Amino acid sequence: GENVEQHPSTLSVQEGDSAVIKCTYSDSASNYFPWYKQELGKGPQLIIDIRSNVGEKKDQRIAVTLNKTAKHFSLHITETQPEDSAVYFCAAPLVSSYGKLTFGQGTILTVHP
Amino acid sequence: NAGVTQTPKFQVLKTGQSMTLQCAQDMNHEYMSWYRQDPGMGLRLIHYSVGAGITDQGEVPNGYNVSRSTTEDFPLRLLSAAPSQTSVYFCASSPSGQGEQYFGPGTRLTVT
């Protein structure tokens, strides 16, 4: 099946700094890569996703980059704010099985004021 | 729209008891999934369904049963609860297998 590795497991930054979280995947046929944010006591919520026909996608302060050759994709958050503090998950689909998602282990991001 | 709803929010069971976690969505999504979330292990897929009457196993299906008699509902049954099933359970729905998944608020289950 698909194997997704996510690093780092925890990340602490000062407000205004940038944060980068990286994921690697194993299924070379994967073509959809979402990132989810989970706030305390809530379910995960999609914040950005990218499909394999593009290398980068931006949405205000967040961006995702994809390197299909190296089979890794990254989440970039610029000008971090305390409300960015949450757990972030990457995911990749197992294309051969209805595209069901395999999630990374999660990154706890803490933004200090 | 209420989105994805889950009941109960919290549950404590004794070892060997059975129960059903409820999940419902009002977005007419075909694809529904159950995940469990444990510290340091992310979200692991238990069972999923690609439409009414169709279910399949995920990564960690043992000890759980599902059924999908309607598009809206996807209950998860614990047949004989074990302490290893202590976890937070999330239900999710999606219009397709590859696209945004909408998660419910979760059920925190403790098995003693």
Side-chain angles (χ1 to χ4, degrees), chain A residues 31-32 36 38 41-44 46 51 89 93 97-101 103-105, chain B residues 31 35 37 40 42-43 45 48 50 57-58 90 97-101 103-105:
Chain A
N31 55 6
Y32 172 69
Y36 285 82
Q38 184 179 27
K42 296 184 178 180
L46 181 74
R51 297 195 182 267
F89 293 97
S97 185
Y98 297 108
K100 61 186 180 184
L101 290 178
F103 283 82
Q105 296 85 348
Chain B
Y31 196 89
Y35 296 88
Q37 183 175 29
L43 293 150
L45 184 65
Y48 67 102
V50 299
Q57 296 180 351
F90 289 99
Q98 288 198 39
E100 179 171 3
Q101 293 205 20
F103 284 83

PDB file of all heavy atoms in Angstrom, chain A residues 31-32 36 38 41-44 46 51 89 93 97-101 103-105, chain B residues 31 35 37 40 42-43 45 48 50 57-58 90 97-101 103-105:
ATOM      1  N   ASN A  31      -1.572  10.903  -7.567  1.00  0.00           N
ATOM      2  CA  ASN A  31      -1.720  12.126  -8.352  1.00  0.00           C
ATOM      3  C   ASN A  31      -2.487  13.222  -7.631  1.00  0.00           C
ATOM      4  O   ASN A  31      -2.889  14.219  -8.247  1.00  0.00           O
ATOM      5  CB  ASN A  31      -2.414  11.813  -9.678  1.00  0.00           C
ATOM      6  CG  ASN A  31      -3.746  11.119  -9.463  1.00  0.00           C
ATOM      7  OD1 ASN A  31      -4.195  10.971  -8.338  1.00  0.00           O
ATOM      8  ND2 ASN A  31      -4.358  10.697 -10.546  1.00  0.00           N
ATOM      9  N   TYR A  32      -2.697  13.056  -6.337  1.00  0.00           N
ATOM     10  CA  TYR A  32      -3.449  14.057  -5.581  1.00  0.00           C
ATOM     11  C   TYR A  32      -2.866  14.131  -4.176  1.00  0.00           C
ATOM     12  O   TYR A  32      -2.713  13.094  -3.513  1.00  0.00           O
ATOM     13  CB  TYR A  32      -4.929  13.663  -5.527  1.00  0.00           C
ATOM     14  CG  TYR A  32      -5.765  14.514  -4.612  1.00  0.00           C
ATOM     15  CD1 TYR A  32      -6.019  15.847  -4.923  1.00  0.00           C
ATOM     16  CD2 TYR A  32      -6.290  13.998  -3.433  1.00  0.00           C
ATOM     17  CE1 TYR A  32      -6.777  16.641  -4.084  1.00  0.00           C
ATOM     18  CE2 TYR A  32      -7.056  14.783  -2.586  1.00  0.00           C
ATOM     19  CZ  TYR A  32      -7.293  16.102  -2.918  1.00  0.00           C
ATOM     20  OH  TYR A  32      -8.048  16.873  -2.082  1.00  0.00           O
ATOM     21  N   TYR A  36      -4.119  18.846   5.456  1.00  0.00           N
ATOM     22  CA  TYR A  36      -5.218  19.110   6.381  1.00  0.00           C
ATOM     23  C   TYR A  36      -4.681  19.775   7.648  1.00  0.00           C
ATOM     24  O   TYR A  36      -3.566  19.481   8.090  1.00  0.00           O
ATOM     25  CB  TYR A  36      -5.939  17.813   6.763  1.00  0.00           C
ATOM     26  CG  TYR A  36      -6.827  17.272   5.665  1.00  0.00           C
ATOM     27  CD1 TYR A  36      -6.303  16.524   4.620  1.00  0.00           C
ATOM     28  CD2 TYR A  36      -8.194  17.522   5.671  1.00  0.00           C
ATOM     29  CE1 TYR A  36      -7.116  16.037   3.608  1.00  0.00           C
ATOM     30  CE2 TYR A  36      -9.023  17.035   4.670  1.00  0.00           C
ATOM     31  CZ  TYR A  36      -8.472  16.301   3.644  1.00  0.00           C
ATOM     32  OH  TYR A  36      -9.289  15.827   2.643  1.00  0.00           O
ATOM     33  N   GLN A  38      -5.700  20.459  11.686  1.00  0.00           N
ATOM     34  CA  GLN A  38      -6.588  20.022  12.745  1.00  0.00           C
ATOM     35  C   GLN A  38      -6.371  20.870  13.997  1.00  0.00           C
ATOM     36  O   GLN A  38      -5.294  20.833  14.588  1.00  0.00           O
ATOM     37  CB  GLN A  38      -6.373  18.543  13.084  1.00  0.00           C
ATOM     38  CG  GLN A  38      -7.354  18.013  14.120  1.00  0.00           C
ATOM     39  CD  GLN A  38      -7.142  16.553  14.429  1.00  0.00           C
ATOM     40  OE1 GLN A  38      -6.046  16.018  14.303  1.00  0.00           O
ATOM     41  NE2 GLN A  38      -8.200  15.862  14.841  1.00  0.00           N
ATOM     42  N   GLY A  41      -9.491  19.527  19.413  1.00  0.00           N
ATOM     43  CA  GLY A  41     -10.867  19.116  19.649  1.00  0.00           C
ATOM     44  C   GLY A  41     -11.751  19.096  18.422  1.00  0.00           C
ATOM     45  O   GLY A  41     -12.970  18.911  18.538  1.00  0.00           O
ATOM     46  N   LYS A  42     -11.156  19.273  17.239  1.00  0.00           N
ATOM     47  CA  LYS A  42     -11.958  19.305  16.013  1.00  0.00           C
ATOM     48  C   LYS A  42     -11.466  18.269  15.018  1.00  0.00           C
ATOM     49  O   LYS A  42     -10.390  17.686  15.175  1.00  0.00           O
ATOM     50  CB  LYS A  42     -11.879  20.696  15.376  1.00  0.00           C
ATOM     51  CG  LYS A  42     -12.468  21.806  16.234  1.00  0.00           C
ATOM     52  CD  LYS A  42     -12.449  23.124  15.494  1.00  0.00           C
ATOM     53  CE  LYS A  42     -13.085  24.233  16.324  1.00  0.00           C
ATOM     54  NZ  LYS A  42     -13.073  25.537  15.602  1.00  0.00           N
ATOM     55  N   GLY A  43     -12.258  18.053  13.980  1.00  0.00           N
ATOM     56  CA  GLY A  43     -11.835  17.186  12.906  1.00  0.00           C
ATOM     57  C   GLY A  43     -10.910  17.913  11.951  1.00  0.00           C
ATOM     58  O   GLY A  43     -10.913  19.152  11.883  1.00  0.00           O
ATOM     59  N   PRO A  44     -10.094  17.188  11.195  1.00  0.00           N
ATOM     60  CA  PRO A  44      -9.207  17.840  10.214  1.00  0.00           C
ATOM     61  C   PRO A  44     -10.005  18.574   9.148  1.00  0.00           C
ATOM     62  O   PRO A  44     -11.120  18.184   8.802  1.00  0.00           O
ATOM     63  CB  PRO A  44      -8.440  16.655   9.607  1.00  0.00           C
ATOM     64  CG  PRO A  44      -8.555  15.551  10.609  1.00  0.00           C
ATOM     65  CD  PRO A  44      -9.890  15.728  11.243  1.00  0.00           C
ATOM     66  N   LEU A  46      -9.439  20.498   5.234  1.00  0.00           N
ATOM     67  CA  LEU A  46      -8.550  20.717   4.096  1.00  0.00           C
ATOM     68  C   LEU A  46      -8.146  22.185   4.009  1.00  0.00           C
ATOM     69  O   LEU A  46      -8.989  23.079   4.093  1.00  0.00           O
ATOM     70  CB  LEU A  46      -9.256  20.319   2.803  1.00  0.00           C
ATOM     71  CG  LEU A  46      -8.431  20.463   1.525  1.00  0.00           C
ATOM     72  CD1 LEU A  46      -7.385  19.350   1.441  1.00  0.00           C
ATOM     73  CD2 LEU A  46      -9.324  20.431   0.289  1.00  0.00           C
ATOM     74  N   ARG A  51      -2.544  18.745  -7.444  1.00  0.00           N
ATOM     75  CA  ARG A  51      -2.597  17.575  -8.312  1.00  0.00           C
ATOM     76  C   ARG A  51      -1.294  17.489  -9.075  1.00  0.00           C
ATOM     77  O   ARG A  51      -0.560  18.473  -9.216  1.00  0.00           O
ATOM     78  CB  ARG A  51      -3.809  17.645  -9.224  1.00  0.00           C
ATOM     79  CG  ARG A  51      -5.091  17.628  -8.411  1.00  0.00           C
ATOM     80  CD  ARG A  51      -6.344  17.334  -9.192  1.00  0.00           C
ATOM     81  NE  ARG A  51      -7.512  17.404  -8.306  1.00  0.00           N
ATOM     82  CZ  ARG A  51      -8.029  16.355  -7.685  1.00  0.00           C
ATOM     83  NH1 ARG A  51      -7.495  15.154  -7.848  1.00  0.00           N
ATOM     84  NH2 ARG A  51      -9.083  16.487  -6.900  1.00  0.00           N
ATOM     85  N   PHE A  89      -1.561  17.601   8.698  1.00  0.00           N
ATOM     86  CA  PHE A  89      -1.412  16.271   8.113  1.00  0.00           C
ATOM     87  C   PHE A  89      -1.297  16.374   6.599  1.00  0.00           C
ATOM     88  O   PHE A  89      -2.085  17.084   5.964  1.00  0.00           O
ATOM     89  CB  PHE A  89      -2.619  15.388   8.426  1.00  0.00           C
ATOM     90  CG  PHE A  89      -2.777  15.016   9.866  1.00  0.00           C
ATOM     91  CD1 PHE A  89      -3.634  15.726  10.688  1.00  0.00           C
ATOM     92  CD2 PHE A  89      -2.081  13.943  10.397  1.00  0.00           C
ATOM     93  CE1 PHE A  89      -3.798  15.383  12.018  1.00  0.00           C
ATOM     94  CE2 PHE A  89      -2.240  13.590  11.723  1.00  0.00           C
ATOM     95  CZ  PHE A  89      -3.098  14.313  12.542  1.00  0.00           C
ATOM     96  N   PRO A  93      -3.027   9.405  -2.064  1.00  0.00           N
ATOM     97  CA  PRO A  93      -3.968   8.324  -2.347  1.00  0.00           C
ATOM     98  C   PRO A  93      -3.274   7.055  -2.824  1.00  0.00           C
ATOM     99  O   PRO A  93      -2.239   7.108  -3.476  1.00  0.00           O
ATOM    100  CB  PRO A  93      -4.825   8.902  -3.469  1.00  0.00           C
ATOM    101  CG  PRO A  93      -3.878   9.789  -4.211  1.00  0.00           C
ATOM    102  CD  PRO A  93      -2.917  10.336  -3.187  1.00  0.00           C
ATOM    103  N   SER A  97      -6.647   1.582  -5.383  1.00  0.00           N
ATOM    104  CA  SER A  97      -7.720   1.152  -4.495  1.00  0.00           C
ATOM    105  C   SER A  97      -8.678   2.301  -4.239  1.00  0.00           C
ATOM    106  O   SER A  97      -8.721   2.845  -3.147  1.00  0.00           O
ATOM    107  CB  SER A  97      -7.142   0.618  -3.180  1.00  0.00           C
ATOM    108  OG  SER A  97      -8.182   0.105  -2.370  1.00  0.00           O
ATOM    109  N   TYR A  98      -9.444   2.669  -5.240  1.00  0.00           N
ATOM    110  CA  TYR A  98     -10.443   3.734  -5.162  1.00  0.00           C
ATOM    111  C   TYR A  98      -9.855   5.044  -4.665  1.00  0.00           C
ATOM    112  O   TYR A  98     -10.594   5.899  -4.204  1.00  0.00           O
ATOM    113  CB  TYR A  98     -11.617   3.336  -4.256  1.00  0.00           C
ATOM    114  CG  TYR A  98     -12.400   2.155  -4.760  1.00  0.00           C
ATOM    115  CD1 TYR A  98     -12.315   0.926  -4.140  1.00  0.00           C
ATOM    116  CD2 TYR A  98     -13.229   2.278  -5.867  1.00  0.00           C
ATOM    117  CE1 TYR A  98     -13.042  -0.155  -4.595  1.00  0.00           C
ATOM    118  CE2 TYR A  98     -13.958   1.196  -6.332  1.00  0.00           C
ATOM    119  CZ  TYR A  98     -13.860  -0.029  -5.684  1.00  0.00           C
ATOM    120  OH  TYR A  98     -14.579  -1.093  -6.147  1.00  0.00           O
ATOM    121  N   GLY A  99      -8.525   5.190  -4.698  1.00  0.00           N
ATOM    122  CA  GLY A  99      -7.913   6.434  -4.279  1.00  0.00           C
ATOM    123  C   GLY A  99      -8.011   6.707  -2.800  1.00  0.00           C
ATOM    124  O   GLY A  99      -7.906   7.853  -2.372  1.00  0.00           O
ATOM    125  N   LYS A 100      -8.197   5.707  -1.966  1.00  0.00           N
ATOM    126  CA  LYS A 100      -8.320   5.967  -0.539  1.00  0.00           C
ATOM    127  C   LYS A 100      -7.036   6.583  -0.023  1.00  0.00           C
ATOM    128  O   LYS A 100      -5.945   6.256  -0.458  1.00  0.00           O
ATOM    129  CB  LYS A 100      -8.662   4.685   0.220  1.00  0.00           C
ATOM    130  CG  LYS A 100      -7.646   3.572   0.111  1.00  0.00           C
ATOM    131  CD  LYS A 100      -8.175   2.317   0.793  1.00  0.00           C
ATOM    132  CE  LYS A 100      -7.169   1.196   0.688  1.00  0.00           C
ATOM    133  NZ  LYS A 100      -7.689  -0.066   1.261  1.00  0.00           N
ATOM    134  N   LEU A 101      -7.166   7.518   0.918  1.00  0.00           N
ATOM    135  CA  LEU A 101      -6.047   8.308   1.381  1.00  0.00           C
ATOM    136  C   LEU A 101      -5.268   7.616   2.487  1.00  0.00           C
ATOM    137  O   LEU A 101      -5.840   7.005   3.383  1.00  0.00           O
ATOM    138  CB  LEU A 101      -6.532   9.661   1.900  1.00  0.00           C
ATOM    139  CG  LEU A 101      -7.061  10.665   0.885  1.00  0.00           C
ATOM    140  CD1 LEU A 101      -7.538  11.925   1.588  1.00  0.00           C
ATOM    141  CD2 LEU A 101      -6.003  11.004  -0.150  1.00  0.00           C
ATOM    142  N   PHE A 103      -2.610   8.866   5.384  1.00  0.00           N
ATOM    143  CA  PHE A 103      -2.174  10.107   6.018  1.00  0.00           C
ATOM    144  C   PHE A 103      -0.779   9.961   6.621  1.00  0.00           C
ATOM    145  O   PHE A 103      -0.383   8.871   7.061  1.00  0.00           O
ATOM    146  CB  PHE A 103      -3.150  10.505   7.133  1.00  0.00           C
ATOM    147  CG  PHE A 103      -4.426  11.111   6.621  1.00  0.00           C
ATOM    148  CD1 PHE A 103      -5.466  10.310   6.180  1.00  0.00           C
ATOM    149  CD2 PHE A 103      -4.587  12.487   6.566  1.00  0.00           C
ATOM    150  CE1 PHE A 103      -6.647  10.860   5.699  1.00  0.00           C
ATOM    151  CE2 PHE A 103      -5.757  13.057   6.090  1.00  0.00           C
ATOM    152  CZ  PHE A 103      -6.784  12.238   5.658  1.00  0.00           C
ATOM    153  N   GLY A 104      -0.054  11.083   6.647  1.00  0.00           N
ATOM    154  CA  GLY A 104       1.185  11.141   7.389  1.00  0.00           C
ATOM    155  C   GLY A 104       0.902  11.160   8.878  1.00  0.00           C
ATOM    156  O   GLY A 104      -0.251  11.227   9.320  1.00  0.00           O
ATOM    157  N   GLN A 105       1.970  11.133   9.670  1.00  0.00           N
ATOM    158  CA  GLN A 105       1.840  11.002  11.116  1.00  0.00           C
ATOM    159  C   GLN A 105       1.459  12.306  11.796  1.00  0.00           C
ATOM    160  O   GLN A 105       1.097  12.317  12.974  1.00  0.00           O
ATOM    161  CB  GLN A 105       3.149  10.479  11.721  1.00  0.00           C
ATOM    162  CG  GLN A 105       3.527   9.080  11.265  1.00  0.00           C
ATOM    163  CD  GLN A 105       4.292   9.079   9.943  1.00  0.00           C
ATOM    164  OE1 GLN A 105       4.363  10.083   9.232  1.00  0.00           O
ATOM    165  NE2 GLN A 105       4.870   7.952   9.608  1.00  0.00           N
TER     166      GLN A 105
ATOM    167  N   TYR B  31     -18.768   8.827  -1.157  1.00  0.00           N
ATOM    168  CA  TYR B  31     -17.612   8.216  -0.510  1.00  0.00           C
ATOM    169  C   TYR B  31     -17.607   8.573   0.972  1.00  0.00           C
ATOM    170  O   TYR B  31     -17.661   9.747   1.326  1.00  0.00           O
ATOM    171  CB  TYR B  31     -16.353   8.757  -1.185  1.00  0.00           C
ATOM    172  CG  TYR B  31     -15.089   7.996  -0.929  1.00  0.00           C
ATOM    173  CD1 TYR B  31     -14.716   6.941  -1.758  1.00  0.00           C
ATOM    174  CD2 TYR B  31     -14.255   8.342   0.107  1.00  0.00           C
ATOM    175  CE1 TYR B  31     -13.540   6.252  -1.534  1.00  0.00           C
ATOM    176  CE2 TYR B  31     -13.075   7.659   0.339  1.00  0.00           C
ATOM    177  CZ  TYR B  31     -12.721   6.618  -0.481  1.00  0.00           C
ATOM    178  OH  TYR B  31     -11.561   5.937  -0.259  1.00  0.00           O
ATOM    179  N   TYR B  35     -11.946   6.694  10.282  1.00  0.00           N
ATOM    180  CA  TYR B  35     -10.550   6.718  10.682  1.00  0.00           C
ATOM    181  C   TYR B  35     -10.476   6.655  12.202  1.00  0.00           C
ATOM    182  O   TYR B  35     -11.379   7.104  12.905  1.00  0.00           O
ATOM    183  CB  TYR B  35      -9.868   8.019  10.242  1.00  0.00           C
ATOM    184  CG  TYR B  35      -9.768   8.231   8.754  1.00  0.00           C
ATOM    185  CD1 TYR B  35     -10.797   8.857   8.050  1.00  0.00           C
ATOM    186  CD2 TYR B  35      -8.636   7.828   8.051  1.00  0.00           C
ATOM    187  CE1 TYR B  35     -10.690   9.067   6.687  1.00  0.00           C
ATOM    188  CE2 TYR B  35      -8.526   8.042   6.680  1.00  0.00           C
ATOM    189  CZ  TYR B  35      -9.558   8.659   6.014  1.00  0.00           C
ATOM    190  OH  TYR B  35      -9.453   8.862   4.658  1.00  0.00           O
ATOM    191  N   GLN B  37      -7.674   7.936  15.229  1.00  0.00           N
ATOM    192  CA  GLN B  37      -6.512   8.797  15.432  1.00  0.00           C
ATOM    193  C   GLN B  37      -5.900   8.493  16.784  1.00  0.00           C
ATOM    194  O   GLN B  37      -6.544   8.639  17.823  1.00  0.00           O
ATOM    195  CB  GLN B  37      -6.897  10.273  15.360  1.00  0.00           C
ATOM    196  CG  GLN B  37      -5.702  11.201  15.481  1.00  0.00           C
ATOM    197  CD  GLN B  37      -6.062  12.660  15.286  1.00  0.00           C
ATOM    198  OE1 GLN B  37      -7.169  13.096  15.561  1.00  0.00           O
ATOM    199  NE2 GLN B  37      -5.114  13.423  14.771  1.00  0.00           N
ATOM    200  N   GLY B  40       0.771  10.254  17.626  1.00  0.00           N
ATOM    201  CA  GLY B  40       1.963   9.905  16.876  1.00  0.00           C
ATOM    202  C   GLY B  40       1.737   8.993  15.689  1.00  0.00           C
ATOM    203  O   GLY B  40       2.700   8.618  15.010  1.00  0.00           O
ATOM    204  N   GLY B  42      -1.021   9.511  13.356  1.00  0.00           N
ATOM    205  CA  GLY B  42      -1.847  10.128  12.335  1.00  0.00           C
ATOM    206  C   GLY B  42      -3.244   9.535  12.294  1.00  0.00           C
ATOM    207  O   GLY B  42      -3.777   9.044  13.297  1.00  0.00           O
ATOM    208  N   LEU B  43      -3.822   9.555  11.128  1.00  0.00           N
ATOM    209  CA  LEU B  43      -5.174   9.030  10.908  1.00  0.00           C
ATOM    210  C   LEU B  43      -5.049   7.720  10.138  1.00  0.00           C
ATOM    211  O   LEU B  43      -4.462   7.677   9.064  1.00  0.00           O
ATOM    212  CB  LEU B  43      -5.997  10.036  10.094  1.00  0.00           C
ATOM    213  CG  LEU B  43      -6.310  11.341  10.804  1.00  0.00           C
ATOM    214  CD1 LEU B  43      -6.420  12.477   9.808  1.00  0.00           C
ATOM    215  CD2 LEU B  43      -7.605  11.208  11.584  1.00  0.00           C
ATOM    216  N   LEU B  45      -7.048   4.505   8.345  1.00  0.00           N
ATOM    217  CA  LEU B  45      -8.327   4.144   7.754  1.00  0.00           C
ATOM    218  C   LEU B  45      -8.805   2.799   8.272  1.00  0.00           C
ATOM    219  O   LEU B  45      -8.073   1.803   8.201  1.00  0.00           O
ATOM    220  CB  LEU B  45      -8.189   4.116   6.230  1.00  0.00           C
ATOM    221  CG  LEU B  45      -9.442   3.839   5.413  1.00  0.00           C
ATOM    222  CD1 LEU B  45     -10.458   4.958   5.585  1.00  0.00           C
ATOM    223  CD2 LEU B  45      -9.084   3.663   3.946  1.00  0.00           C
ATOM    224  N   TYR B  48     -14.122   1.859   4.594  1.00  0.00           N
ATOM    225  CA  TYR B  48     -14.645   2.915   3.757  1.00  0.00           C
ATOM    226  C   TYR B  48     -15.730   2.374   2.847  1.00  0.00           C
ATOM    227  O   TYR B  48     -15.899   1.142   2.720  1.00  0.00           O
ATOM    228  CB  TYR B  48     -13.534   3.594   2.945  1.00  0.00           C
ATOM    229  CG  TYR B  48     -12.882   2.716   1.901  1.00  0.00           C
ATOM    230  CD1 TYR B  48     -13.214   2.827   0.552  1.00  0.00           C
ATOM    231  CD2 TYR B  48     -11.906   1.790   2.264  1.00  0.00           C
ATOM    232  CE1 TYR B  48     -12.603   2.039  -0.399  1.00  0.00           C
ATOM    233  CE2 TYR B  48     -11.301   0.996   1.316  1.00  0.00           C
ATOM    234  CZ  TYR B  48     -11.635   1.126  -0.014  1.00  0.00           C
ATOM    235  OH  TYR B  48     -11.042   0.338  -0.960  1.00  0.00           O
ATOM    236  N   VAL B  50     -17.788   3.290  -1.023  1.00  0.00           N
ATOM    237  CA  VAL B  50     -17.832   4.121  -2.235  1.00  0.00           C
ATOM    238  C   VAL B  50     -19.263   4.336  -2.705  1.00  0.00           C
ATOM    239  O   VAL B  50     -19.490   4.906  -3.769  1.00  0.00           O
ATOM    240  CB  VAL B  50     -16.972   3.519  -3.356  1.00  0.00           C
ATOM    241  CG1 VAL B  50     -15.515   3.437  -2.909  1.00  0.00           C
ATOM    242  CG2 VAL B  50     -17.479   2.157  -3.774  1.00  0.00           C
ATOM    243  N   GLN B  57     -12.453  -2.837   3.393  1.00  0.00           N
ATOM    244  CA  GLN B  57     -11.576  -2.662   4.539  1.00  0.00           C
ATOM    245  C   GLN B  57     -10.492  -1.645   4.246  1.00  0.00           C
ATOM    246  O   GLN B  57     -10.004  -1.517   3.122  1.00  0.00           O
ATOM    247  CB  GLN B  57     -10.932  -4.003   4.908  1.00  0.00           C
ATOM    248  CG  GLN B  57     -11.923  -5.055   5.355  1.00  0.00           C
ATOM    249  CD  GLN B  57     -11.224  -6.355   5.707  1.00  0.00           C
ATOM    250  OE1 GLN B  57     -10.034  -6.532   5.461  1.00  0.00           O
ATOM    251  NE2 GLN B  57     -11.974  -7.272   6.293  1.00  0.00           N
ATOM    252  N   GLY B  58     -10.089  -0.966   5.318  1.00  0.00           N
ATOM    253  CA  GLY B  58      -8.955  -0.072   5.227  1.00  0.00           C
ATOM    254  C   GLY B  58      -7.722  -0.711   5.835  1.00  0.00           C
ATOM    255  O   GLY B  58      -7.532  -1.918   5.764  1.00  0.00           O
ATOM    256  N   PHE B  90     -12.932   9.349  13.717  1.00  0.00           N
ATOM    257  CA  PHE B  90     -13.454  10.363  12.807  1.00  0.00           C
ATOM    258  C   PHE B  90     -14.124   9.706  11.610  1.00  0.00           C
ATOM    259  O   PHE B  90     -13.596   8.764  11.023  1.00  0.00           O
ATOM    260  CB  PHE B  90     -12.341  11.280  12.299  1.00  0.00           C
ATOM    261  CG  PHE B  90     -11.804  12.213  13.331  1.00  0.00           C
ATOM    262  CD1 PHE B  90     -10.630  11.929  13.997  1.00  0.00           C
ATOM    263  CD2 PHE B  90     -12.482  13.387  13.636  1.00  0.00           C
ATOM    264  CE1 PHE B  90     -10.127  12.791  14.963  1.00  0.00           C
ATOM    265  CE2 PHE B  90     -11.988  14.262  14.591  1.00  0.00           C
ATOM    266  CZ  PHE B  90     -10.820  13.952  15.259  1.00  0.00           C
ATOM    267  N   GLY B  97     -13.392   9.573  -4.467  1.00  0.00           N
ATOM    268  CA  GLY B  97     -12.268   9.024  -3.727  1.00  0.00           C
ATOM    269  C   GLY B  97     -11.069   9.954  -3.704  1.00  0.00           C
ATOM    270  O   GLY B  97     -10.243   9.874  -2.810  1.00  0.00           O
ATOM    271  N   GLN B  98     -10.953  10.837  -4.686  1.00  0.00           N
ATOM    272  CA  GLN B  98      -9.821  11.765  -4.730  1.00  0.00           C
ATOM    273  C   GLN B  98     -10.357  13.182  -4.766  1.00  0.00           C
ATOM    274  O   GLN B  98     -10.671  13.707  -5.817  1.00  0.00           O
ATOM    275  CB  GLN B  98      -8.951  11.499  -5.951  1.00  0.00           C
ATOM    276  CG  GLN B  98      -8.153  10.228  -5.824  1.00  0.00           C
ATOM    277  CD  GLN B  98      -7.010  10.202  -6.810  1.00  0.00           C
ATOM    278  OE1 GLN B  98      -6.364  11.211  -7.058  1.00  0.00           O
ATOM    279  NE2 GLN B  98      -6.764   9.052  -7.383  1.00  0.00           N
ATOM    280  N   GLY B  99     -10.440  13.771  -3.624  1.00  0.00           N
ATOM    281  CA  GLY B  99     -10.939  15.120  -3.497  1.00  0.00           C
ATOM    282  C   GLY B  99     -11.068  15.435  -2.024  1.00  0.00           C
ATOM    283  O   GLY B  99     -10.715  14.614  -1.177  1.00  0.00           O
ATOM    284  N   GLU B 100     -11.548  16.632  -1.742  1.00  0.00           N
ATOM    285  CA  GLU B 100     -11.636  17.057  -0.350  1.00  0.00           C
ATOM    286  C   GLU B 100     -12.497  16.103   0.458  1.00  0.00           C
ATOM    287  O   GLU B 100     -13.608  15.755   0.056  1.00  0.00           O
ATOM    288  CB  GLU B 100     -12.209  18.463  -0.258  1.00  0.00           C
ATOM    289  CG  GLU B 100     -12.346  18.960   1.178  1.00  0.00           C
ATOM    290  CD  GLU B 100     -12.706  20.420   1.262  1.00  0.00           C
ATOM    291  OE1 GLU B 100     -12.916  21.057   0.212  1.00  0.00           O
ATOM    292  OE2 GLU B 100     -12.790  20.937   2.399  1.00  0.00           O
ATOM    293  N   GLN B 101     -11.972  15.696   1.600  1.00  0.00           N
ATOM    294  CA  GLN B 101     -12.744  14.915   2.550  1.00  0.00           C
ATOM    295  C   GLN B 101     -13.220  15.857   3.652  1.00  0.00           C
ATOM    296  O   GLN B 101     -12.462  16.677   4.154  1.00  0.00           O
ATOM    297  CB  GLN B 101     -11.912  13.783   3.144  1.00  0.00           C
ATOM    298  CG  GLN B 101     -11.538  12.728   2.123  1.00  0.00           C
ATOM    299  CD  GLN B 101     -11.270  11.366   2.751  1.00  0.00           C
ATOM    300  OE1 GLN B 101     -11.694  11.087   3.871  1.00  0.00           O
ATOM    301  NE2 GLN B 101     -10.568  10.514   2.036  1.00  0.00           N
ATOM    302  N   PHE B 103     -14.572  16.112   7.358  1.00  0.00           N
ATOM    303  CA  PHE B 103     -14.532  15.319   8.571  1.00  0.00           C
ATOM    304  C   PHE B 103     -15.597  15.771   9.565  1.00  0.00           C
ATOM    305  O   PHE B 103     -15.910  16.956   9.673  1.00  0.00           O
ATOM    306  CB  PHE B 103     -13.162  15.436   9.240  1.00  0.00           C
ATOM    307  CG  PHE B 103     -12.092  14.630   8.561  1.00  0.00           C
ATOM    308  CD1 PHE B 103     -11.415  15.127   7.455  1.00  0.00           C
ATOM    309  CD2 PHE B 103     -11.762  13.371   9.030  1.00  0.00           C
ATOM    310  CE1 PHE B 103     -10.431  14.373   6.827  1.00  0.00           C
ATOM    311  CE2 PHE B 103     -10.773  12.621   8.415  1.00  0.00           C
ATOM    312  CZ  PHE B 103     -10.114  13.114   7.311  1.00  0.00           C
ATOM    313  N   GLY B 104     -16.101  14.799  10.322  1.00  0.00           N
ATOM    314  CA  GLY B 104     -16.960  15.105  11.442  1.00  0.00           C
ATOM    315  C   GLY B 104     -16.143  15.554  12.643  1.00  0.00           C
ATOM    316  O   GLY B 104     -14.913  15.576  12.586  1.00  0.00           O
ATOM    317  N   PRO B 105     -16.806  15.892  13.754  1.00  0.00           N
ATOM    318  CA  PRO B 105     -16.108  16.407  14.926  1.00  0.00           C
ATOM    319  C   PRO B 105     -15.420  15.341  15.772  1.00  0.00           C
ATOM    320  O   PRO B 105     -14.650  15.671  16.670  1.00  0.00           O
ATOM    321  CB  PRO B 105     -17.222  17.076  15.726  1.00  0.00           C
ATOM    322  CG  PRO B 105     -18.445  16.326  15.337  1.00  0.00           C
ATOM    323  CD  PRO B 105     -18.258  15.952  13.898  1.00  0.00           C
TER     324      PRO B 105
END
